Amino acid sequence: MTAIADNINDLSRQILAGNIGAGARAIRWLDDGDPRGADVLSLIFPHTGRAHLIGITGPPGAGKSSLTNTLITEQRRRGRRVGVIAIDPSSPFTGGAILGDRVRMAQHTVDPDVFIRSIGTRGQAGGLSRSSHDACLVLDAMNYDVIFVETVGVGQDEIDVVALAHTTLIIGVPGLGDEVQAVKAGLMEAGDIFVINKADRDGYDDTYRQFELMLHLRAESVSRNEIDKTASAWSPPLLRAVAKRAEGTVEIVDATDAHREYLQNSGHFVKRSSHREREQFICLLREAVVDEIMEGMDEDILNSILRREIDPYTAASHELARWRGNTTS
Ligand SMILES: Nc1nc2c(ncn2[C@@H]2O[C@H](COP(=O)(O)OP(=O)(O)OP(=O)(O)O)[C@@H](O)[C@H]2O)c(=O)[nH]1
Ligand SMILES: [Mg+2]
């Protein structure tokens, strides 16, 4: 085994050759905000854009990791190399969920064609989508064919992450009244494929009917919206699964494959990819500009706002004008 390179040129070459240690190092640099991470990214970026990104989300404990585990097996059976990014939104330090993921996907950790990474959010706003986007790029450069991104569908940040994938899987489970409501509110729009897991549990039929109804309502509102006709050409399937017995796995992979084909044939694969890159670019730009403005900001301006001497809109445009003056002089 070759040693993992310290310099960015060699490390990038190792990443492109699929070296797992090299990929892990780059992801860590990017996660830590180490500038070497961005340098590596600039070298590997031209070699990305090929992988099929599949987001998996749903309520806590819905069986997302168990399902991902069976999906990896089926993807491997179809000859594909698989990357997994598991996001732990709640506890970047304790890593409780991360440990659970490791256990549930343990059988794949010895397979050189499967790479599983867990990433935390480190608390910063927007950090979640940035770290997961960066990690996806590294895995993409390592030539993984399919990349699963697992996140708990509880907050807007998490929904944003999976909504940026090419294909978004929403996982529901029987008997969770409130969670179904949550799914209704935030996740229905984002889903390309819906799966009701734990179909061995009581209440499956009721949950199935609820989802069916929600999908029906969604389809109606889509067909009324004539703006994006091609988007309505895909009608999201509703599937059943028992992840702990690997039931429904083949059908789910058939569906993600069909969705990929649909995206490619309709030009939406490229569209979704560019939307993703655009979001990332704007996010980075916004962060950099705000940092720079804040750095030179007059502390008193905040006090002036608090004293009602100046309103926040005027204060913001003053600060922007000051920054512009500094950058153009
Ligand atoms: N009865 C039943 N239990 C299941 C099924 N799939 C998963 N479980 C169990 O549900 C629990 C949670 O599974 P996970 O795969 O960790 O769920 P998760 O959605 O990844 O959980 P978080 O990442 O913590 O939100 C575990 O105890 C699993 O064994 C299923 O199909 N049927
Ligand atoms: Mg999990």
Side-chain angles (χ1 to χ4, degrees):
M1 219 173 100
T2 49
I4 305 162
D6 270 323
N7 75 79
I8 59 158
N9 284 305
D10 289 340
L11 191 78
S12 302
R13 264 192 291 277
Q14 289 181 335
I15 290 170
L16 295 177
N19 182 312
I20 282 181
R25 176 166 292 175
I27 290 172
R28 196 163 52 245
W29 281 351
L30 286 159
D31 235 0
D32 290 346
D34 186 318
R36 288 175 293 182
D39 291 342
V40 171
L41 204 64
S42 75
L43 293 175
I44 62 172
F45 190 72
H47 305 275
T48 62
R50 210 191 44 86
H52 182 198
L53 308 183
I54 303 177
I56 299 185
T57 195
K64 300 177 291 297
S65 300
S66 311
L67 210 53
T68 303
N69 184 50
T70 70
L71 297 178
I72 298 170
T73 308
E74 180 58 20
Q75 291 284 0
R76 292 292 301 125
R77 208 183 57 77
R78 298 185 189 197
R80 294 159 189 162
R81 305 182 69 236
V82 185
V84 179
I85 297 163
I87 296 169
D88 174 14
S90 51
S91 55
F93 304 110
T94 62
I98 289 172
L99 224 82
D101 289 340
R102 290 251 166 87
V103 172
R104 272 186 262 299
M105 299 180 211
Q107 70 181 97
H108 296 290
T109 52
V110 290
D111 183 345
D113 291 315
V114 177
F115 183 33
I116 302 168
R117 290 310 292 174
S118 302
I119 54 176
T121 63
R122 305 196 187 255
Q124 75 271 53
L128 192 58
S129 47
R130 172 152 41 104
S131 342
S132 70
H133 182 83
D134 288 344
C136 280
L137 286 174
V138 174
L139 265 56
D140 194 343
M142 291 169 77
N143 212 22
Y144 288 100
D145 302 295
V146 177
I147 301 171
F148 291 110
V149 180
E150 179 198 328
T151 139
V152 182
V154 283
Q156 192 56 46
D157 265 10
E158 288 73 34
I159 295 170
D160 288 348
V161 167
V162 287
L164 283 176
H166 295 116
T167 302
T168 302
L169 247 75
I170 308 290
I171 315 299
V173 277
L176 287 174
D178 286 351
E179 273 80 353
V180 171
Q181 292 298 325
V183 167
K184 222 188 230 175
L187 298 175
M188 272 330 262
E189 292 294 306
D192 298 303
I193 294 163
F194 292 81
V195 177
I196 301 173
N197 187 43
K198 307 197 184 183
D200 55 325
R201 288 251 177 108
D202 285 349
Y204 169 76
D205 291 335
D206 283 347
T207 307
Y208 189 92
R209 273 192 293 273
Q210 278 176 316
F211 269 76
E212 213 173 25
L213 179 66
M214 287 189 281
L215 280 170
H216 182 71
L217 294 173
R218 179 181 123 147
E220 276 195 337
S221 75
V222 168
S223 67
R224 272 199 302 273
N225 177 2
E226 295 289 311
I227 299 164
D228 191 358
K229 281 185 182 146
T230 41
S232 58
W234 173 261
S235 77
L238 178 58
L239 305 170
R240 81 181 279 287
V242 182
K244 65 173 187 182
R245 295 201 299 255
E247 284 176 31
T249 312
V250 172
E251 290 78 3
I252 297 171
V253 178
D254 282 347
T256 52
D257 279 2
H259 190 247
R260 183 191 178 136
E261 210 177 299
Y262 154 75
L263 290 175
Q264 278 169 333
N265 294 340
S266 62
H268 276 78
F269 194 85
V270 174
K271 240 189 201 170
R272 289 205 181 186
S273 300
S274 25
H275 175 65
R276 186 178 170 82
E277 297 309 337
R278 182 179 182 277
E279 291 294 305
Q280 180 77 344
F281 169 65
I282 291 173
C283 166
L284 291 175
L285 205 57
R286 187 177 287 143
E287 222 169 83
V289 170
V290 168
D291 279 355
E292 222 175 277
I293 293 180
M294 296 292 282
E295 215 163 86
M297 196 177 76
D298 181 2
E299 294 284 329
D300 278 345
I301 201 146
L302 190 61
N303 291 325
S304 304
I305 296 171
L306 294 179
R307 287 194 298 267
R308 298 287 191 273
E309 290 163 6
I310 186 169
D311 68 281
Y313 285 91
T314 311
S317 60
H318 278 182
E319 281 307 306
L320 198 60
R322 181 191 52 74
W323 175 73
R324 273 203 202 107
N326 286 344
T327 50
T328 51
S329 62

